[in-house]
Amino acid sequence: MKIDFKTLRADFPLLKQTNRGKPLVYLDNSATNQKPRCVIDAISHYYTHDNANIHRGVYELSERATREYEKTRVTIKSFINAKHAHEIVFVRGATEGINLVAQSYGRTHFKVLDEIMISTMEHHSNIVPWQMLADQVGANLRIIPITDDGEIDMDAYQKLFTERTKMVAIAHASNALGTVNPIKEMIRIAHTHDVPVLVDGAQAFPHMPVDVQDLDCDFYVFSSHKAYGPTGIGVLYGKEKLLESMPPYQGGGDMIESVTFAKTTYNKVPFRFEAGTPDIAGVIGFGVALAYLKNIGMDNIAAHEQELLNYATQKLSAIPELKIIGVAKNKVGVISFVLKDVHPHDIGTVLDAHGIAIRAGHHCAMPVMERFQLPATVRASFGLYNNTADIDALVTGLQEVQRIFK
Amino acid sequence: MAGLRELYQEVIVDHSKHPRNFGELDNPTFRKDGFNPLCGDKLTLTISENNNVIEQIRFQGCGCAISVASASLMSEALQGKSRTEINAIFHDFHQLVTQGHNTILEIRLGKLAILAGVAEYPARVKCATLAWHTLNAAITGDTKQVSTE
Ligand SMILES: Cc1ncc(COP(=O)(O)O)c(C=O)c1O
């Protein structure tokens, strides 16, 4: 089916507004993306008609809320081709998913001098939870280096394995460079050493088809708000066997089987990890976002965004004194760049005045900035509703930047 | 767009490209680092003081145009001023860049008033005030690292 991406833009009410008096050109999709009308309506519908607490009411309303909530779990299971719906754990976002694995899996399975492998290009949320864990259990972090193009150094990766390696935690796609990592191959290699792999899919899940069984990853995390769904909700996928081996992350309601002051027994997976009342509306809204994406087709979205990436790479490369940071062969629609003698924050402010929303800064990936010896970069990142006119506006804005700072 | 042209007017761009008093003093009375984690702006101030008068200010570091221009303009404006005068100027300057145009403040601040346009861009106020907070910490003997966060 041929999708007309131009017409899809009309599904996103927020994009109709202006930014500092100019039509909004939203190119900060890696930070979060805008929501289609159907998602906004679903949340409003839920609070208007279906709101009740889940998994506990004996009345129809609560059963309906529970059914809608659990339906999303099944939607996600099919979306990423997990084997079982109970391998889908609802969390607040990719960040909480990683913290959950670090604290629940890591604290019970790692000991002094064990090693956790992450890469130079990780988002802080795939660094700090492991650092905290390493401090708690006396483990060490091992860092997989990246090349000047912004790709994983695969030789170095293979050589980093020791008998103490207990986990590899790696981004599927980098938010700072756009690099798509060869995670299937990396997982295969890790498994030859019997090491489980957590994949941070925050920047990949919204932009390409993901099949967790094909990848054979042990954990996969992502956030709804970067995939056209509401904020405050995300997913931890974990293989059944691993989730079963993990103690609860937080204590509270819903995660228990029975409680006495002498002893509490825990609920089964995934409820064991979902203490307290979750973001029910968020989960339901996310289910609607996924149905929306499925209808368009992740393959189509990936192809559309690759076209934008190619167009933007070509246009930006033609700007004198502009340097693209991260030129991996396989990238998502993310372009980080710097302009000679103009600080990214000044570029951001000038673009803002032209209605263009981009990100300027270290993108929560300070080790990447250090690797490339830069204080910051400018980042444009694309979503399904962007088109070449957005990129043309960016180019015009950058020409204005160069005029001001000539 | 008027706001943009005001923010990046020629004097500011000029000071950012050719900062005045750039460098380090050999025997400073005070030395202080300032850091803006949001932008990655970093600067080091060296200051010489004599009889409660700030005689010389030098700064070094890297940052966005607003933070460099502000440090440069500050160094020009404050050399030769007493601590009391500096306090008053800092107070006026802070009010101007956070609240925007104000004729009385602008008259009192003179050349420094060209940074008034920053007020329209709240995310950039930290850039404009980094050097000032650093100077304030240096002369009041605050030993914590200056960070705008
Ligand atoms: C690669 C990557 N991982 C993790 C995260 C964290 O996502 P969240 O803040 O939604 O938990 C982000 C967000 O920017 C990201 O880009």
Side-chain angles (χ1 to χ4, degrees), chain A residues 299-336:
Chain A
D299 282 317
N300 291 325
I301 291 173
H304 172 69
E305 291 175 6
Q306 281 301 313
E307 264 174 47
L308 292 179
L309 175 68
N310 294 342
Y311 184 81
T313 305
Q314 197 188 354
K315 288 280 173 177
L316 292 182
S317 306
I319 296 177
E321 314 212 305
L322 184 147
K323 183 162 187 263
I324 294 176
I325 308 299
V327 290
K329 281 182 279 304
N330 195 359
K331 281 179 68 171
V332 284
V334 169
I335 301 193
S336 250

Side-chain angles (χ1 to χ4, degrees), chain A residues 4-149:
Chain A
D4 181 7
F5 278 91
K6 278 219 170 62
T7 62
L8 290 182
R9 192 170 177 122
D11 296 342
F12 295 81
L14 184 140
L15 295 174
K16 297 187 181 92
Q17 70 185 281
T18 55
N19 181 77
R20 294 200 187 261
K22 304 269 163 165
L24 173 65
V25 176
Y26 188 78
L27 294 173
D28 196 15
N29 292 283
S30 292
T32 194
N33 48 31
Q34 303 309 334
K35 318 308 171 199
R37 167 62 69 196
C38 58
V39 169
I40 300 166
D41 287 348
I43 293 167
S44 159
H45 183 275
Y46 168 76
Y47 283 120
T48 313
H49 301 285
D50 298 333
N51 180 49
N53 214 327
I54 52 168
H55 297 149
R56 51 195 93 176
V58 292
Y59 44 92
E60 188 197 350
L61 196 55
S62 167
E63 280 165 10
R64 196 155 71 226
T66 307
R67 197 163 56 235
E68 291 300 309
Y69 178 86
E70 288 302 326
K71 210 167 83 187
T72 298
R73 206 187 298 276
V74 177
T75 304
I76 294 168
K77 169 214 171 263
S78 329
F79 207 91
I80 60 173
N81 192 33
K83 212 176 200 160
H84 310 287
H86 59 255
E87 293 175 320
I88 307 300
V89 181
F90 287 119
V91 288
R92 277 197 300 128
T95 302
E96 192 178 43
I98 298 168
N99 278 281
L100 193 162
V101 174
Q103 288 303 313
S104 169
Y105 181 84
R107 272 188 107 160
T108 39
H109 291 76
F110 301 173
K111 53 183 194 308
V112 178
L113 296 182
D114 279 349
E115 294 174 1
I116 304 154
M117 224 194 271
I118 61 174
S119 87
T120 306
M121 72 172 88
E122 299 312 312
H123 187 276
H124 294 162
S125 62
N126 200 24
I127 301 175
V128 184
W130 302 113
Q131 270 173 337
M132 290 165 61
L133 170 68
D135 282 347
Q136 288 159 348
V137 301
N140 291 311
L141 291 189
R142 290 283 171 267
I143 313 299
I144 313 161
I146 59 176
T147 66
D148 290 342
D149 285 353

Side-chain angles (χ1 to χ4, degrees), chain A residues 30-31 92-96 98 122-123 125-126 171 173-175 200 202-203 223 225-226 359 363-364 379:
Chain A
S30 292
R92 277 197 300 128
T95 302
E96 192 178 43
I98 298 168
E122 299 312 312
H123 187 276
S125 62
N126 200 24
S174 153
N175 69 310
D200 170 4
Q203 296 295 342
S223 298
H225 73 96
K226 293 184 200 282
R359 175 89 183 261
H363 318 296
C364 298
R379 180 188 71 190

